[in-house]
Each structure stands twice: as structure tokens, then as C-alpha cells.
Amino acid sequence: PDTYVEIHQDRTARVAPTSDDAKWFPALTANPVSCVVHRVVMRGRTLFLDGKFYAPPPSAAGAAASGGRDVGHAVRAMSSGPPTSGKHFAQFQPPVPASPQLKKAAPSVVVRKISTTSLARPAIEVDTIDEADAVSAASPLEAALTTTTPLAGTFAAKDDVSAAAAPLARVERPLATSRLAEIVARYGNENPFYMKHVLSVRQFSREDLHLLFAVAQEMRTAVQRYGMVPVLPGRVMASVFYEPSSRTSSSFQAAMLRLGGQVFAASSETSSVAKGETLEDTVRTFGSYADIVSLRHPQPGSVQGAARFSNVPVVNAGDGTGEHPTQAMLDVFTIREELGTVNGLTITLVGDLRNGRTVHSLARVLAQYKNVTLHYVAPPALAMPDSIKRDVALRAPYVVQSEHTELTDEILAATDVLYVTRVQKERFASDADYEAAKDAYVIDNSLMRKCKRNMIVMHPLPRVSEIAPEVDTDQRAVYFRQMQYGMFVRMALLALVLCRNF
């Protein structure tokens, strides 16, 4: 039950020349491959999504209850397929009973310690012991699994070391960036983000977003293991924010630092803007010092205008009530990571939809997915702008849009993603209007009891009173995980914008 494979017939992909499939079938690298496996679900668990395995560890009840173990990387390491030039791949040999003569033969290799002090060259240090003293309860396959990771598809030895010679002093894994190169190769070695301004979600197709999300998944894995992915050493980002920001500015800065780059920050109070300098001159100035500029400005369309005068890529970090493209990207990435797919979901946007730039960008991105239903729940004065609804209808006539002023039980019962936004006090002309609208919708435990068990609650943050703190402990509340997903997406975006290849 709940086991199926989702295949996209309209998608194509390329087999990377460095992949294991290319070693067995070199002809696959010549042309794109149609009908791409998008998702594999077993017993309700997503085990594979867009080229990434998500195999849970075996439970106490056994591997069958947990979906099994991902031993693909071990099988690749022990493959007897065609060898790569200059490398010898490990061969799986069944155990042979030891004789007295063999006990005195060449010593065996036993793992002693894993060293991860450097991301560029993580390695396993090995020592040798005499065969007569080697006693291990683990099987050969379990030993191979403990010394192999998804980032290291194979173990390679140097040409001058033979199987009968002394044991290897060091067995090294490939660079972590090789996995990123494989991802780009899978998309035809075309990087649609390279040296481009990131101003609106309308610039990028669904395939472009899939590339971004695949790189973000690798960034997540590498950061969790090593803390950073130094693909941008020596690069500098200018963080220019004309509005207050905690998450977006910090997320961009943390992303750049974890990529090995540097950051300097400026604001309207600390720059020459206080002296009357124009935004265009400011962007020109910072573009002379940095390789990329992340820019937030209170006027809609201002970032697009300033980007015309910049000689380095500009990333829109929010332009008033206009757009917030990187927030929409991380929102969709969050949905994919938490629910496995975006297709076929019912997504309810609640709160200040007129002034919320995050929901403007998000609605446009969701229009690229199939069979999506969008509920807009807001007071009449804060309803979703007609321009956004018209844009979604033109881009995706099959997306169902509906407007509501009440968050009814029927809407809650059908919702897969409840996306809540705060009522933005800074956008109101009077405090009285703000006070009348700020508590129109409050998400608390009594309301959450009316929702699905497998739905999620999202929020771009900061929140004021629209989500009660008691909801934070609900496993369906993902808004704090959403922040961390945002750093991985921005790491991927910065890397793709500044690196043609990895």
C-alpha cells in the first residue's frame, strides 16, 4: 500500500560522463534521456526524489518496515564493470578460510578513524594489523557500507599500488564538488543562473528550479557533514539592505560564508544614501568592490531599475510590495522536502496578501506546477492583487484560484500547505486600520485540530500574533526548518550565479 513510482514523461535529463551508468552504457551520454523518474514512494515514505535517495535507517521491526537500506553506493563501489583509466575499483570477494600460511601473509586494512577536518579532501585513515589478530563481527558488505558514503561513489587507489603490495596508507574520497558537477551535467551542462541578475521568479522555468533544488540538496548534505562547501573562495558579496531584515540578510551572509566567500554589509544609515546618493550610484559603487550584490529596497521595481546600472549580478532580496524571488524559491523547496512534491497540492495563503511580496512571488512559482489549487484567504482590504491572479491565470490556466474572507473548516480540511503571513504594520497609513486587521486570522491548536495530519504550516517570518506559540511544538509547523532550508537554497543560488562549472 502507498507504494508507487512517479515518472515525468515531458522531462529530459543527461547522463553525466562520470556516472556509473556511463561506464556501463557510454552511448547514454550522447543524447538526452526522456521519461525521468521523479519520485519513488514505498509504504508512504519518499525514498527517491529528483536523483536523490532518502533511505531511512532500518527500524527495530526490520528493514521492510522502514523501507529498506540504500546500498546502491556500496554496490557501485564493489562493481566489476569497466574500469576507469588510471583507477582500480574495489572488488567484492567472498571470505576465504584462513590457512596458517595466509595468516603470515600481507597484513589487512582496518579502518581506524574518519577524518573530516577538510571538506576538500575528506579521507579515511587506515592502519594495518596482522591477519591472525583481525577479528570482526561485521560482514564484508557491512564493512563496505561503513567506509562508503553517497558523496564517494567509489574508492580509487594510485597506479603504483597493486593489490598484492603493502596496504594503502590513505584511501581518499573524491572532492565534494564532483557531485555538484554531476548535477549540472545531468541538466545538459547548462547553467541558466550563471552571471544573471535574479530579479523575479518569472525569469526561471520549472527545469531551472529543479536544477537549483538539486544543488540545494547537495549543499544541505555537505553542510551537515562538513560545515561548509568552499566553492567561492576569494569571492565577495555586498549585502545592501534599505529595510530592516533579520532572516534574509543573515541567510545571505551565512550562505556566502559557508561557500568560502566574504561579505560586507551596508544600509541607508551607514552609506552615502544619507547624503542624498541615488540608488543607481550606490549599486555602481558596491559593484566595484564585490562580485555580487544582494539588495533590498522599499520601492517596488527599484531593484530591477538599479540592476540595469550594475556590472555584477544583483539578487532581489525584496522590493517593497513587489517580489521576493529567493523567498519563493525556498518556500517551494521546503514544500518538496517536507511533502515530497508540489503537484496536486492544495495551498492556502492567509493574511496580508495585498502587501505581502512573498505570496506574490510564491503564487507565480506555484503556477508552474500541475493540478495545484490556490485558496486566497484575506480581509477584503488585503486581498491578493488582481495583477497577480491574472498573471497566474495566464501562465497556468489549469491552476484553480479562489478567494475567501473566512478560513472555514472546509478549507482547512482540504489544505496541504497553510502559508500564513503577518499583517504588515509598516504598509498601513493609520494605526487604526492596522489594529482592525492584525488579528483577522490566528492559527492556534484548536484550529490545527481541523487540519490534515500530513499537512504543513509555513510562515516567511517574522510573526506577530498570527500564529500562537503553542503551535511551535506541532510537528506540522515547519517555519523554523523553513529558515534553514532558505540558507541551503541561497547557497545553491550564489554558487550557480558565480560558478559556470564546479
Side-chain angles (χ1 to χ4, degrees):
D2 296 330
T3 299
Y4 58 92
V5 177
E6 182 178 339
I7 298 176
H8 288 186
Q9 296 181 347
D10 57 341
R11 286 182 58 186
T12 59
R14 289 184 178 271
V15 177
T18 57
S19 69
D20 295 313
D21 293 332
K23 298 168 192 162
W24 286 94
F25 307 104
L28 290 176
T29 61
N31 298 303
V33 179
S34 300
C35 291
V36 176
V37 176
H38 170 64
R39 182 168 53 143
V40 176
V41 176
M42 180 177 291
R43 300 182 181 91
R45 294 177 180 267
T46 298
L47 301 184
F48 175 88
L49 178 65
D50 274 347
K52 180 79 173 181
F53 285 96
Y54 297 91
S59 65
S66 62
R69 298 178 65 180
D70 173 22
V71 297
H73 50 276
V75 174
R76 289 193 294 271
M78 297 181 288
S79 170
S80 59
T84 302
S85 176
K87 293 183 178 180
H88 303 286
F89 291 88
Q91 304 286 322
F92 175 71
Q93 299 292 343
V96 179
S99 65
Q101 291 79 12
L102 288 177
K103 291 183 180 180
K104 298 182 179 180
S108 63
V109 180
V110 176
V111 176
R112 287 294 195 192
K113 180 178 65 175
I114 295 179
S115 173
T116 56
T117 55
S118 171
L119 174 64
R121 301 181 69 84
I124 293 183
E125 297 180 0
V126 296
D127 295 327
T128 62
I129 64 173
D130 191 85
E131 185 69 22
D133 297 329
V135 178
S136 174
S139 67
L141 178 58
E142 291 172 336
L145 285 171
T146 60
T147 58
T148 312
T149 70
L151 286 177
T154 56
F155 289 142
K158 296 184 178 179
D159 290 334
D160 57 351
V161 180
S162 65
L168 299 177
R170 184 177 295 272
V171 182
E172 297 184 349
R173 297 187 178 95
L175 294 177
T177 53
S178 65
R179 177 61 179 153
L180 301 178
E182 287 185 8
I183 293 173
V184 177
R186 199 166 71 217
Y187 288 84
N189 280 319
E190 295 180 1
N191 181 355
F193 298 90
Y194 180 65
M195 296 307 291
K196 296 284 185 65
H197 298 305
V198 181
L199 306 175
S200 171
V201 293
R202 288 174 286 187
Q203 294 176 242
F204 306 107
S205 67
R206 182 175 167 184
E207 286 297 316
D208 298 339
L209 296 178
H210 284 160
L211 170 61
L212 176 69
F213 297 153
V215 175
Q217 287 170 337
E218 290 305 314
M219 295 295 181
R220 176 186 182 184
T221 300
V223 167
Q224 289 172 345
R225 291 179 178 176
Y226 310 115
M228 63 181 301
V229 189
V231 297
L232 297 180
R235 298 301 187 98
V236 177
M237 182 185 74
S239 179
V240 186
F241 280 69
Y242 288 80
E243 282 187 324
S245 173
S246 296
R247 275 148 295 278
T248 304
S249 62
S250 299
S251 177
F252 267 111
Q253 293 182 42
M256 191 64 178
L257 293 173
R258 288 188 182 273
L259 292 170
Q262 301 293 323
V263 181
F264 68 87
S267 65
S268 57
E269 291 80 16
T270 59
S271 68
S272 293
V273 173
K275 303 176 182 178
E277 185 178 53
T278 64
L279 177 62
E280 290 77 11
D281 287 353
T282 300
V283 170
R284 283 193 183 102
T285 300
F286 290 133
S288 302
Y289 307 142
D291 300 291
I292 189 169
V293 176
S294 62
L295 176 61
R296 170 173 289 187
H297 198 273
Q299 293 299 323
S302 57
V303 177
Q304 288 86 339
R308 295 199 299 267
F309 299 90
S310 175
N311 60 344
V312 299
V314 175
V315 180
N316 183 358
D319 59 343
T321 59
E323 279 209 54
H324 198 344
T326 62
Q327 180 69 45
M329 293 172 181
L330 75 89
D331 289 340
V332 175
F333 182 73
T334 300
I335 295 173
R336 282 165 50 100
E337 293 295 294
E338 294 289 334
L339 298 180
T341 186
V342 181
N343 294 319
L345 297 184
T346 297
I347 301 171
T348 302
L349 309 179
V350 181
D352 187 352
L353 307 185
R354 184 187 69 180
N355 300 311
R357 57 194 170 209
T358 61
V359 292
H360 298 169
S361 294
L362 179 58
R364 287 174 169 139
V365 173
L366 293 174
Q368 301 193 35
Y369 291 86
K370 296 185 181 299
N371 301 323
V372 172
T373 299
L374 294 176
H375 293 309
Y376 305 131
V377 181
L382 302 177
M384 180 70 80
D386 291 337
S387 60
I388 304 297
K389 294 182 290 185
R390 184 166 52 250
D391 195 9
V392 171
L394 291 174
R395 292 168 63 91
Y398 43 81
V399 171
V400 178
Q401 303 181 82
S402 61
E403 288 192 284
H404 310 270
T405 57
E406 298 292 334
L407 189 57
T408 63
D409 293 352
E410 291 75 15
I411 294 176
L412 290 172
T415 296
D416 298 298
V417 178
L418 185 63
Y419 193 97
V420 187
T421 64
R422 72 182 176 94
V423 177
Q424 303 182 33
K425 183 177 182 179
E426 63 271 25
R427 312 294 182 192
F428 282 78
S430 67
D431 291 343
D433 294 339
Y434 167 73
E435 292 294 332
K438 71 172 185 176
D439 293 327
Y441 312 101
V442 177
I443 310 301
D444 54 19
N445 282 343
S446 62
L447 185 144
M448 292 296 295
R449 284 192 286 270
K450 304 174 184 177
C451 300
K452 296 180 180 179
R453 294 183 60 184
N454 60 339
M455 57 85 69
I456 59 175
V457 180
M458 301 175 62
H459 195 302
L461 300 178
R463 66 174 170 183
V464 181
S465 58
E466 59 276 5
I467 297 181
E470 63 187 22
V471 180
D472 296 350
T473 56
D474 193 309
Q475 63 179 358
R476 296 169 291 180
V478 304
Y479 32 86
F480 293 119
R481 297 198 295 273
Q482 185 181 348
M483 289 190 299
Q484 192 174 38
Y485 290 138
M487 184 185 69
F488 302 137
V489 170
R490 288 176 175 127
M491 286 179 67
L493 183 64
L494 292 174
L496 288 168
V497 169
L498 294 177
C499 295
R500 182 186 295 272
N501 296 305
F502 296 98

